[in-house]
């Protein structure tokens, strides 16, 4: 690879200049440094991968004006040194509104790290949302003055987030159509993060009219648990015992509040996980079926096809 100081200087420049550019380096020992920045009208995307570098690499980045940082740690663990040291581990994500921001980070030698970062410029996004009223959570978040930082309290990335990132990185279109496609994905990612970190969920309307506030809070806790532990849940009984809720209230309350049955919701999450796993990892389809608890491949294949309209083999081909 290039001289160590030259690499650090180049990556720092990429982090800071906000222009579209790419750095890709490999060495004879399978070391890899790949940093790609794409600058759009109201946001910049930074996708980085570091693998088995021979020395610790220390980088500095920041921005003197307000921006929204959407951070997704795909692999490994990143450590940020601001006023404190904060680590974000693999499969976690963080949403931050930062009036100003400067940090130092270190890529440790002989490790693997991969991350996807979106820097949104609030004033420019507001221009895109100019026809939206003040009740729009996106507008309110862009207009906030106080910091909103969740680097110390990141959340587990849901399959829908992995899917958005995959779709962005594998955009099938070019030109104006491609730009519109990517813009929508970034906006969807921001919406998913706002829902996760600010408590803004789907409007329940009258769906929860017959549920008490305590019932609604408990069912939301159950749904939040399922979003992270869906692979571990195989029956309604597990949930009724864990959350001390009777099966009738769980079954009918969940359906009323989220327009989906508990077990169907779990199955959908499992299928989304399987789809992402087959797209991103070199795994056998039968191994994924086993992980999801299917004793027979044909049952897994039928469930997958019912969910997506095509078989698992179509994803791998």
């Amino acid at each position: 690879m290039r001289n160590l100081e030259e690499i650090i200087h180049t990556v720092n420049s990429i982090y800071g200049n906000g222009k579209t550019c790419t750095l890709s380096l490999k060495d004879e020992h399978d070391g890899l440094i790949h940093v790609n920045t794409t600058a759009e009208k109201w946001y910049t995307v930074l996708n980085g991968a570091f693998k088995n570098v021979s020395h610790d690499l220390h980088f500095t980045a920041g921005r003197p004006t307000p921006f929204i940082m959407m951070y997704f740690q795909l692999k490994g663990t990143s450590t940020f040194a601001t006023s404190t040291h904060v680590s974000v581990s693999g499969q976690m994500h963080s949403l931050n509104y930062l009036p100003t921001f400067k940090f130092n980070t270190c890529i440790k030698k002989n490790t693997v790290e991969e991350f996807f970062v979106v820097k949104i410029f609030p004033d420019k996004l507001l221009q895109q949302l100019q026809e939206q009223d003040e009740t729009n959570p996106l507008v309110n978040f862009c207009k906030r003055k106080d910091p909103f930082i969740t680097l110390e309290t990141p959340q587990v990335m849901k399959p829908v987030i992995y899917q958005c990132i995959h779709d962005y990185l594998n955009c099938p279109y070019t030109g104006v159509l491609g730009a519109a496609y990517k813009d929508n994905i970034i906006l969807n990612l921001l919406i998913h993060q706002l829902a996760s970190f600010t408590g803004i969920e789907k409007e329940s309307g009258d769906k929860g009219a017959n549920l008490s506030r305590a019932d609604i809070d408990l069912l939301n806790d159950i749904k939040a648990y399922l979003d992270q532990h869906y692979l571990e849940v195989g029956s309604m009984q597990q949930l009724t015992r864990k959350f001390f809720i009777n099966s009738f209230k769980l079954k009918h309350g969940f359906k009323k509040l989220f327009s989906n049955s508990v077990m169907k919701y779990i199955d959908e999450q499992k299928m989304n996980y399987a789809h992402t796993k087959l797209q991103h990892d070199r795994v056998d389809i039968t191994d994924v079926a086993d992980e999801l608890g299917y004793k027979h491949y044909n049952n897994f294949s039928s469930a997958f096809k019912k969910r997506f309209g095509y078989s698992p083999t179509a994803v791998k081909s």
Side-chain angles (χ1 to χ4, degrees):
M1 289 188 178
R2 298 180 189 175
N3 176 275
L4 185 63
E5 291 185 0
E6 182 182 354
I7 292 173
I8 293 174
H9 175 75
T10 302
V11 174
N12 279 340
S13 298
I14 292 174
Y15 282 175
N17 63 22
K19 299 179 180 178
T20 298
C21 53
T22 300
L23 171 68
S24 189
L25 302 172
K26 293 183 180 180
D27 68 13
E28 65 276 12
H29 301 296
D30 294 323
L32 168 69
I33 295 176
H34 181 82
V35 181
N36 182 75
T37 301
T38 304
E40 302 293 351
K41 290 181 180 180
W42 50 274
Y43 64 90
T44 297
V45 170
L46 173 66
N47 183 218
F50 295 84
K51 177 183 178 184
N52 297 332
V53 293
S54 56
H55 298 81
D56 289 356
L57 299 176
H58 297 269
F59 302 117
T60 301
R63 185 177 174 85
T65 55
F67 72 105
I68 297 167
M69 183 175 75
M70 302 162 61
Y71 190 87
F72 307 89
Q73 187 74 26
L74 304 179
K75 294 181 181 178
T77 300
S78 287
T79 301
F80 303 94
T82 54
S83 56
T84 60
H85 283 76
V86 179
S87 295
V88 182
S89 58
Q91 302 181 347
M92 306 293 282
H93 69 117
S94 169
L95 173 67
N96 307 273
Y97 179 90
L98 303 157
T100 60
F101 191 57
K102 184 176 182 180
F103 69 87
N104 300 309
T105 186
C106 176
I107 306 295
K108 295 292 186 180
K109 66 178 181 180
N110 302 323
T111 59
V112 175
E113 290 190 29
E114 185 174 347
F115 48 84
F116 184 86
V117 182
V118 183
K119 297 179 182 178
I120 293 178
F121 314 118
D123 54 339
K124 295 182 179 179
L125 177 54
L126 284 171
Q127 293 174 12
Q128 307 295 315
L129 302 172
Q130 57 186 339
E131 296 183 2
Q132 301 291 333
D133 60 40
E134 296 294 330
T135 62
N136 186 332
L138 292 172
V139 173
N140 290 332
F141 196 74
C142 287
K143 288 186 174 182
R144 67 181 296 120
K145 301 297 182 183
D146 298 327
F148 182 92
I149 301 173
T150 66
L151 280 172
E152 295 185 0
T153 55
Q155 295 186 7
V156 175
M157 291 167 56
K158 299 177 183 178
V160 66
I161 288 180
Y162 279 108
Q163 188 64 53
C164 284
I165 294 173
H166 174 270
D167 290 345
Y168 180 92
L169 295 175
N170 296 275
C171 175
Y173 310 111
T174 58
V176 175
L177 193 60
Y181 180 87
K182 290 182 175 181
D183 286 355
N184 282 327
I185 291 174
I186 298 303
L187 203 55
N188 283 335
L189 272 175
L190 179 56
I191 290 169
H192 287 307
Q193 287 203 306
L194 278 174
S196 294
F197 288 101
T198 66
I200 301 170
E201 298 292 347
K202 296 178 182 177
E203 293 292 337
S204 58
D206 293 330
K207 295 176 183 177
N210 297 325
L211 296 171
S212 69
R213 182 71 257 176
D215 291 336
I216 293 173
D217 289 343
L218 180 58
L219 289 166
N220 275 305
D221 287 343
I222 293 172
K223 181 176 177 293
Y225 175 82
L226 293 178
D227 287 340
Q228 297 188 27
H229 301 281
Y230 51 87
L231 291 177
E232 304 164 20
V233 179
S235 68
M236 291 268 290
Q237 191 176 41
Q238 283 180 255
L239 296 173
T240 58
R241 289 177 175 177
K242 181 175 180 61
F243 290 93
F244 301 101
I245 183 174
N246 68 64
S247 58
F248 180 87
K249 184 171 289 185
L250 174 60
K251 180 179 179 180
H252 294 280
F254 195 96
K255 176 80 171 182
K256 179 175 288 189
L257 199 57
F258 304 114
S259 301
N260 205 351
S261 70
V262 177
M263 297 313 297
K264 185 178 179 182
Y265 183 77
I266 294 171
D267 288 342
E268 288 176 353
Q269 296 294 84
K270 288 181 177 180
M271 287 299 108
N272 290 340
Y273 169 84
H275 194 284
T276 302
K277 191 89 171 174
L278 293 173
Q279 283 183 313
H280 292 279
D281 297 338
R282 295 179 178 178
V283 295
D284 292 330
I285 298 175
T286 52
D287 290 339
V288 177
D290 288 341
E291 185 180 1
L292 267 59
Y294 285 88
K295 295 181 180 180
H296 302 288
Y297 168 76
N298 287 341
N299 292 339
F300 167 68
S301 181
S302 296
F304 191 96
K305 190 171 183 179
K306 182 178 180 180
R307 170 70 172 150
F308 299 107
Y310 45 83
S311 68
T313 55
V315 180
K316 299 295 287 183
S317 60

